[in-house]
């Protein structure tokens, strides 16, 4: 599940420069604090939470499924789902995942707006990173700005940037997460808090790595992710992953599926 569908591909200096320029441009619009009334009291104002995920046909870095799920809050029931077979054209480059995935995720939200605009989520949990990223502008940030909606990055693996390492010290901190809801900050060599490691439930020892995407504070993002967890992965993302894998199994019955996230 954690393995990328292909090895990272080299890209031209021209394309890399173009993508970096686009990230820098969009990053100027990034908001790293709460902006919506519901964020001060989740149980009173929050009604719908979205989750997005892409799953891939195993051994195939082109055929994939883009999945959007909307759950009610706080009961986390699936009220909307959208799965679509897609064929990726942009290469898999760590640090530039948004250029590979965001266009298809945006199309999912456009279909939601046409079909059931009343179910548009107030916040989206993204299977990937937000500011926990080499340029502090990951997939969740990119998607949040394009959609102009609060987003949160939720990663299963630690993105080792700004001096963060999955080493013995990190492992000791993980062991000290005694119960669901316990956290520790991810402080880079720059001194910046790039996110938090969260033990998302009492029944799992491995944390998830939560980072701001757009228009939400880290404190609120962590609280929301924890409240959305029945298991290790928050329910909107977990359901998006389940739906996308089911879709690919029907479409490609001879193959298994996997996902990529950096």
């Amino acid at each position: 599940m954690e393995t990328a569908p292909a090895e990272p591909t080299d890209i031209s200096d021209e394309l890399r420069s173009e993508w970096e320029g686009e990230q820098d441009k969009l990053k100027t619009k990034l908001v790293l604090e709460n902006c919506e009334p519901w964020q001060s009291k989740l149980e009173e104002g929050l009604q719908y939470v979205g989750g997005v995920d892409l799953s891939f046909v195993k051994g195939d870095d082109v055929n994939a499924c883009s999945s959007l799920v909307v759950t009610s809050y706080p009961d986390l029931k699936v009220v909307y789902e959208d799965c679509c077979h897609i064929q990726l054209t942009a290469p898999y480059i760590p640090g530039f995942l948004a250029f590979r995935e965001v266009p298809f995720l945006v199309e999912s939200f456009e279909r939601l707006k046409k079909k059931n605009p009343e179910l548009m989520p107030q916040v989206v949990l993204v299977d990937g990173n937000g500011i926990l990223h080499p340029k502090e502008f990951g997939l969740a940030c990119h998607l949040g700005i394009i959609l102009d909606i609060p987003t949160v990055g939720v990663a299963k693996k630690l993105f080792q940037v700004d001096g963060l390492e999955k080493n013995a010290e990190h492992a000791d901190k993980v062991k000290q997460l005694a119960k669901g809801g316990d956290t520790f900050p991810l402080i880079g060599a720059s001194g910046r808090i790039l996110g938090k490691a969260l033990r998302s439930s009492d029944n799992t020892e491995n944390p998830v790595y939560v980072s701001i995407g757009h228009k939400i504070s880290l404190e609120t993002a962590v609280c929301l992710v924890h409240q959305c967890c029945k298991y290790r992965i928050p329910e909107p993302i977990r359901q998006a992953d389940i739906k996308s894998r089911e879709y690919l199994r029907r479409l490609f019955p001879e193959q298994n599926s996997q996902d990529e996230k950096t």
Side-chain angles (χ1 to χ4, degrees):
M1 185 174 176
E2 299 289 351
T3 307
E7 290 298 317
T9 307
D10 289 331
I11 56 173
S12 67
D13 290 342
E14 182 179 359
L15 182 56
R16 182 178 293 274
S17 178
E18 178 184 334
W19 283 358
E20 288 178 343
E22 182 67 12
Q23 285 179 328
D24 290 341
K25 179 181 176 182
L26 291 174
K27 188 178 176 181
T28 63
K29 303 177 182 179
L30 198 60
V31 178
L32 305 179
E33 59 188 16
N34 289 339
C35 297
E36 305 291 339
W38 61 264
Q39 291 168 328
S40 62
K41 213 162 188 180
L42 300 183
E43 65 274 15
E44 292 188 3
L46 184 58
Q47 292 182 294
Y48 297 118
V49 180
V52 293
D53 180 74
L54 260 71
S55 290
F56 296 78
V57 176
K58 190 173 183 179
D60 183 339
D61 62 348
V62 174
N63 287 291
C65 174
S66 172
S67 177
L68 163 64
V69 159
V70 179
T71 64
S72 55
Y73 184 88
D75 56 352
L76 303 176
K77 302 295 184 183
V78 175
V79 297
Y80 177 88
E81 61 182 87
D82 177 275
C83 288
C84 184
H85 174 220
I86 60 174
Q87 292 189 310
L88 296 149
T89 55
Y92 168 64
I93 307 293
F96 296 101
L97 192 62
F99 294 95
R100 181 171 167 87
E101 298 191 1
V102 162
F104 300 105
L105 297 176
V106 169
E107 288 177 0
S108 297
F109 282 91
E110 289 175 348
R111 288 191 292 271
L112 169 57
K113 287 179 183 178
K114 290 180 181 178
K115 295 177 185 176
N116 297 97
E118 73 282 3
L119 297 178
M120 183 61 63
Q122 294 151 282
V123 59
V124 179
L125 305 185
V126 179
D127 182 20
N129 292 291
I131 66 169
L132 180 56
H133 181 270
K135 292 180 71 69
E136 297 186 18
F137 194 78
L139 175 62
C141 302
H142 200 127
L143 182 65
I145 286 189
I146 296 297
L147 295 175
D148 191 26
I149 192 171
T151 53
V152 178
V154 185
K156 296 179 285 293
K157 282 186 174 181
L158 175 65
F159 201 172
Q160 299 182 77
V161 298
D162 193 17
L164 292 171
E165 294 184 36
K166 195 173 182 180
N167 52 20
E169 181 183 357
H170 181 82
D172 286 341
K173 290 180 179 179
V174 169
K175 288 180 182 178
Q176 292 173 32
L177 300 175
K179 63 184 184 305
D182 285 356
T183 68
F184 64 83
L186 302 169
I187 305 174
S190 64
R192 290 264 290 157
I193 297 177
L194 299 177
K196 284 190 175 183
L198 164 70
R199 180 167 176 172
S200 46
S201 79
D202 292 337
N203 300 320
T204 181
E205 295 182 358
N206 292 325
V208 292
Y209 298 95
V210 181
S211 54
I212 298 170
H214 183 48
K215 286 188 170 182
I216 195 167
S217 71
L218 182 58
E219 180 182 1
T220 301
V222 170
C223 179
L224 173 63
V225 170
H226 182 223
Q227 292 298 320
C228 286
C229 285
K230 297 179 178 179
Y231 306 97
R232 180 190 177 205
I233 306 302
E235 200 64 10
I237 293 177
R238 195 178 80 89
Q239 289 296 329
D241 177 69
I242 290 171
K243 305 297 184 186
S244 64
R245 290 172 185 273
E246 290 174 348
Y247 183 91
L248 287 179
R249 278 194 289 269
R250 292 194 300 269
L251 201 62
F252 299 95
E254 302 300 319
Q255 304 292 333
N256 293 317
S257 61
Q258 59 186 21
D259 67 5
E260 65 179 2
K261 281 297 166 286
T262 302

